[in-house]
Amino acid sequence: MVTEEKRQEILEKLKNAVIQYDEDTSKEASKEALEVGLEPNDAIFSGLVSGMEEVGRLFEAQEYFVPELLMCADALYAGLDILKPHVKQLDLGVKGSVVIGTVEGDVHDIGKNIVKMMFDVAGFTVYDLGRDVPLDKFVEEQMKTDSDLVCLSAMMTTTMVGMKKVIEDLKAKNPNVKIMIGGAPVSQDIAEKWGADGYAKDANNALKDAINMISSLKKLKEEAEAKKGS
Amino acid sequence: MSDITPKQRVLRLFAGERTDRPPCFSGMGNVTTEGLKKFGYKFAALHSNAKMMSDAAASTYKLFGFECGVVPFDLCVEAEALGCEINVYAHLEDILYPTIKKKLIHTEDEMDIRIPSDLAVRGRIPLIKETIGLIKADIGNEVAVGTYVLGPFTLAGQIMELNDLLKLSFKKPDKIGKLLDMLAAAIIIVAKEYEKAGADYITVREMGATSDVLSPRVFKNLILPYLKKIFAELKTNTVLHICGKTNDIAVSMVESGARAISVDQKNDVAETRKKIGNDSLLFGNYDPYNVLVSGTPEKVRETIRKCMDDGVSAVWPGCDIWPTVPPENINAMMDEVKKYRR
Ligand code: B12
C-alpha cells in the first residue's frame, strides 16, 4: 500500500505535468504511479484530470490560450495512455460512447476538439468524424457504433441549420439516441426548437450534461428491461 | 445633400482628411441573397466566374447604396494558388462558404515549402484581378473597390493543420517564424497583383490571430513582425482586420503599419479609441449576423449609432456580411449613417 505522502507527491507531479504541458514528466509520473501501486483511477482523476481542471480555469482567466490548452491535452493524453490499460472499470457512474463532429460546410474545429478532449478524459469512447462532415455521415456512424450520444458543432449561422436535418434524421432512425449541440451561434433556444436533447456553452458544461443524459438513458433502458423481465 | 461621391469620401478618409460623416463600407465579403436573386445566380457558382462575381459584388451598392464593391467571397484564394485543393460545395443549394479540402502540409517535416515562381498567375489570382477590373468599370467611379488577402498566420492555418500550427507556435517558434516569413512574401506578391488591378484598398484578414485563440504576447512576438513586412511593401490603402477579442492587441495592430485597423463587436471601441488616439483610423464594429441579419431595424439603428458615438472612423462590419441580410435592416443602417453628422 502506498503511503499518503507518496500518493500526494505523485498526484501533484501528474497535476503539474498537465498544467505545465510537460509530456515527459506526465509519462514518468504515470509509470511511477503504477510501480508504487497507486490506484490508476486515482492517478487519472485526482492527478491528470485535476490538472486539466486547473488548465480550464487558466483558460477562462485568459492566462492560457488555445495553444496552451492543446499542449496540456497532449501531456494529459501521454499519461492517460500509460494508465488506461490498467484501469479495470472507469468509475464515472456511466460508461458512454459518443460520435462528434463539425457539420458540413464548417471547418471551425478548435472548439469541437476541446469538447472532444473532455469526453476522452472522462473515459468515453469517442468517434471523432472531424470537420466539414457530410450530414448523413453522423447518422451512419451512430448506427454503426450504436453510440449513446451524438455531438454536433457549428460555428456559422449557415452551417448551423444543417444540425436541424441531422437531428431529424437521427431521431427518425433511432428515437433513443441523445443529441447535444454547441458552437458560438447555437443557443439553448435553438436546441429546444430543433429537438436536441442538450446544449452547452462550453466544454465543461458539455461533459456534465452528457453524463446526466447518458445516466438517464441507461436508467430508462434498465427500467424497460426490468419491465420486460417481470 | 453631400456633393461628394462615396468613393471620394473613402479616399479622403484614407488620406487623413476630414469627412462630413463616416463612410459605410467593408473590406470583406458583402454579397447578399437579394443581389443573387436579382441575377438568378447560385452562390457556389460565383467563385470561379469573373462576370458573376463582379455582378454580385456590385449589387450590394446598386440595391442598397452600400459604399464599396469587394471581392472575393471566400478565404481560399491564396491557399489554392499555393497548391491546396478547395471545395465550393457546387452540389448544394444552401450558401456554404468554400473551404480547403486538401492541405499542403500534413506533418512537421513537410513545412519546408517554396513559393511557386509563377504564383501571380496560379489558381484564381488572375480571375480576382479580372473581377476587380470589371467592378471598377461598373461602379468604380462612384464607390471604392476593395479586395482582401489573408494574414500570414491565418494563411498558415489554411495550408496546415491548425492544431499543429498552434502548438508549434509555442514549441518551435523559429520554425513557424520561417513559414510565416515565406507566406508573408507570398501575400505581398498576391497583394501587389491586386494593386496592379486597381484595388482602391486592400484588407489583410488575420482572424486566426484573435485573442480568442492566441495570446497577445504570441501575437506581438511571432506574428506582428511579418504583418509589418507586408504593410511596408504595399502602396495602396491598407486595413488590418482581426475579429474576436482584440482590445489587448489594438495598439500592436496600429503598429503593424496598416493605414487602418478593423475590429469586430467583441472590441470595446470607446476604449480602443482612447488607447490609439484620434489620428489612427479605426473601422468597425457592428455584428454582421446577430445585429444586421437577425436584429430589428431599430436594433440596427441603435447599434450603428453606438459605433459612431464610440468613435469608429468608418461604419464597417465585424466580418463578412451575412448574405441573408433583410433589406429593411441594411436600409436602416445606410439611413442612420447618412443622417449622422460629426
Ligand atoms: C479561428 C476562426 C476561423 C478559422 C478556423 C480554423 C479552425 N480550424 O477552426 C478560419 C480562418 C479557417 C475561419 C474561416 C471562416 N470563418 Co471564422 N472564425 C474564427 C474565430 C476567429 C474563432 C473561432 C474559435 O476557434 N474560437 C475559440 C473556441 C475555443 O471557441 P468555440 O469554437 O466557440 O468553442 C467553444 C464553445 O462554442 C463550445 N462548443 C463548440 N462546439 C461544441 C459542440 C458541442 C456539442 C457543445 C456542447 C459545445 C461546443 O465549447 C467550446 C469550448 O469551450 C471566430 C470568431 C470568434 N471569435 O468566435 C470566427 C467566425 C466563427 N468565423 C466566421 C466566418 C464568417 C468565417 C468564414 C465564412 C469567412 C469567409 N469569408 O470565408 C470562413 C468559413 C470557412 C468555413 N466554411 O468553415 C464568423 C461566423 C459568423 C456567423 N455567425 O455565422 C465568425 C463568428 C467571425 C465573426 N465575427 O463573424 N475562421
Side-chain angles (χ1 to χ4, degrees):
Chain A
M1 210 28 222
V2 49
T3 64
E4 181 58 23
E5 197 184 344
K6 188 72 191 165
R7 172 176 174 265
Q8 284 304 340
E9 183 198 312
I10 295 177
L11 291 182
E12 203 54 25
K13 213 162 149 192
L14 286 166
K15 192 174 154 187
N16 285 329
V18 172
I19 297 172
Q20 288 156 12
Y21 39 88
D22 181 346
E23 286 179 49
D24 293 340
T25 306
S26 174
K27 281 185 209 160
E28 217 175 88
S30 298
K31 282 183 200 142
E32 198 184 340
L34 293 176
E35 273 158 26
V36 302
L38 192 70
E39 191 51 52
N41 252 341
D42 195 23
I44 293 177
F45 284 95
S46 313
L48 297 172
V49 173
S50 136
M52 206 61 206
E53 279 164 7
E54 177 59 22
V55 171
R57 270 191 295 278
L58 290 168
F59 184 65
E60 252 158 56
Q62 288 193 64
E63 278 178 50
Y64 273 13
F65 293 81
V66 176
E68 289 92 325
L69 212 60
L70 295 172
M71 290 188 295
C72 294
D74 282 352
L76 176 136
Y77 283 126
L80 207 57
D81 284 345
I82 293 170
L83 295 167
K84 226 176 179 174
H86 300 271
V87 174
K88 298 198 180 58
Q89 160 92 68
L90 270 192
D91 191 20
L92 293 164
V94 296
K95 218 180 75 197
S97 59
V98 46
V99 173
I100 190 169
T102 307
V103 297
E104 181 160 32
D106 206 323
V107 297
H108 296 93
D109 62 355
I110 301 176
K112 186 268 294 168
N113 289 340
I114 295 174
V115 174
K116 174 196 166 196
M117 180 180 76
M118 295 300 293
F119 283 113
D120 275 332
V121 168
F124 282 68
T125 309
V126 183
Y127 303 97
D128 182 7
L129 299 179
R131 59 183 173 238
D132 191 13
V133 179
L135 303 180
D136 296 340
K137 188 93 199 352
F138 286 100
V139 184
E140 224 175 82
E141 187 75 8
Q142 191 280 327
M143 304 284 281
K144 207 173 85 196
T145 59
D146 191 29
S147 291
D148 308 296
L149 180 67
V150 177
C151 282
L152 308 172
S153 177
M155 283 298 282
M156 290 187 298
T157 345
T158 39
T159 54
M160 180 176 82
V161 294
M163 293 175 157
K164 190 163 173 244
K165 186 177 172 297
V166 180
I167 296 171
E168 283 164 9
D169 291 357
L170 275 171
K171 292 276 172 182
K173 289 249 162 67
N174 182 357
N176 278 334
V177 69
K178 296 284 177 187
I179 304 167
M180 184 146 66
I181 63 178
V186 183
S187 64
Q188 183 67 47
D189 254 19
I190 289 173
E192 277 165 25
K193 224 164 61 194
W194 292 352
D197 302 283
Y199 155 80
K201 68 175 198 326
D202 58 34
N204 278 328
N205 286 304
L207 182 63
K208 268 185 234 150
D209 285 6
I211 290 178
N212 287 339
M213 264 188 255
I214 293 178
S215 323
S216 70
L217 195 69
K218 298 254 141 109
K219 224 161 100 201
L220 279 177
K221 262 192 205 154
E222 280 162 21
E223 280 168 15
E225 264 151 37
K227 256 193 206 145
K228 249 192 271 162
S230 67
Chain B
M1 273 317 289
S2 62
D3 46 4
I4 63 168
T5 63
K7 177 179 184 166
Q8 285 168 322
R9 187 178 292 106
V10 164
L11 294 183
R12 282 181 195 176
L13 182 74
F14 276 120
E17 294 166 28
R18 272 190 71 86
T19 55
D20 51 349
R21 61 160 170 90
C24 185
F25 73 127
S26 173
M28 297 165 281
N30 53 71
V31 58
T32 66
T33 41
E34 293 297 317
L36 295 178
K37 240 192 275 165
K38 198 178 130 200
F39 290 101
Y41 291 165
K42 255 177 66 174
F43 186 66
L46 302 179
H47 315 296
S48 52
N49 182 311
K51 170 77 169 61
M52 290 167 80
M53 212 192 285
S54 158
D55 284 341
S59 68
T60 316
Y61 167 64
K62 289 183 182 168
L63 288 174
F64 307 107
F66 194 67
E67 300 174 307
C68 60
V70 178
V71 278
F73 308 124
D74 65 299
L75 301 179
C76 304
V77 175
E78 302 89 327
E80 191 185 13
L82 286 169
C84 293
E85 268 174 46
I86 73 165
N87 186 359
V88 296
Y89 303 97
H91 61 294
L92 293 174
E93 287 299 319
D94 306 333
I95 296 188
L96 289 187
Y97 279 79
T99 55
I100 306 292
K101 193 158 58 182
K102 210 163 135 240
K103 306 228 170 200
L104 204 59
I105 301 171
H106 308 91
T107 62
E108 204 188 311
D109 311 324
E110 292 174 10
M111 278 176 63
D112 203 10
I113 56 166
R114 301 259 169 279
I115 307 178
S117 57
D118 58 347
L119 181 68
V121 296
R122 284 171 64 110
R124 287 178 294 152
I125 292 169
L127 179 88
I128 305 295
K129 286 174 66 182
E130 184 191 345
T131 310
I132 293 171
L134 290 177
I135 306 176
K136 282 186 76 90
D138 189 4
I139 55 171
N141 284 332
E142 296 145 62
V143 295
V145 175
T147 184
Y148 58 79
V149 291
L150 295 187
F153 192 77
T154 308
L155 181 53
Q158 294 285 61
I159 66 169
M160 70 186 281
E161 269 316 317
L162 189 69
N163 276 9
D164 294 340
L165 173 66
L166 290 170
K167 284 190 264 183
L168 288 172
S169 300
F170 241 84
K171 290 184 182 165
K172 300 190 176 161
D174 291 349
K175 214 164 176 180
I176 295 298
K178 215 174 126 217
L179 178 70
L180 296 184
D181 194 36
M182 207 252 347
L183 292 177
I187 290 162
I188 291 168
I189 293 172
V190 176
K192 284 196 167 164
E193 290 300 312
Y194 295 165
E195 277 184 344
K196 269 191 242 161
D200 294 308
Y201 61 104
I202 297 179
T203 304
V204 175
R205 303 180 65 170
E206 190 62 305
M207 58 232 268
T210 163
S211 306
D212 283 295
V213 174
L214 212 65
S215 70
R217 192 172 51 81
V218 174
F219 175 74
K220 275 173 218 160
N221 295 341
L222 187 61
I223 300 171
L224 186 59
Y226 304 105
L227 288 170
K228 283 185 179 163
K229 221 168 180 167
I230 293 172
F231 290 118
E233 286 284 334
L234 299 184
K235 302 205 170 50
T236 189
N237 299 306
T238 51
V239 185
L240 172 61
H241 170 78
I242 302 182
C243 48
K245 288 181 197 149
T246 45
N247 271 63
D248 293 334
I249 55 172
V251 173
S252 303
M253 287 172 72
V254 173
E255 279 168 16
S256 72
R259 182 67 192 97
I261 68 167
S262 149
V263 296
D264 83 1
Q265 56 279 359
K266 283 196 185 170
N267 187 288
D268 177 348
V269 161
E271 189 209 76
T272 298
R273 178 49 87 195
K274 260 189 232 141
K275 270 196 208 157
I276 66 173
N278 283 331
D279 293 336
S280 299
L281 294 178
L282 171 60
F283 297 172
N285 70 332
Y286 61 90
D287 186 327
Y289 186 78
N290 291 310
V291 173
L292 199 64
V293 175
S294 51
T296 58
E298 211 19 72
K299 168 94 183 159
V300 171
R301 285 180 188 275
E302 218 176 89
T303 306
I304 298 301
R305 243 183 345 254
K306 179 161 176 5
C307 292
M308 294 188 288
D309 289 341
D310 282 348
V312 298
S313 319
V315 173
W316 159 296
C319 194
D320 301 88
I321 289 205
W322 212 255
T324 56
V325 50
E328 61 272 24
N329 281 4
I330 192 162
N331 286 333
M333 170 170 76
M334 295 313 303
D335 183 57
E336 200 59 41
V337 180
K338 285 178 180 165
K339 267 186 357 204
Y340 196 84
R341 284 292 169 276
R342 290 264 191 236

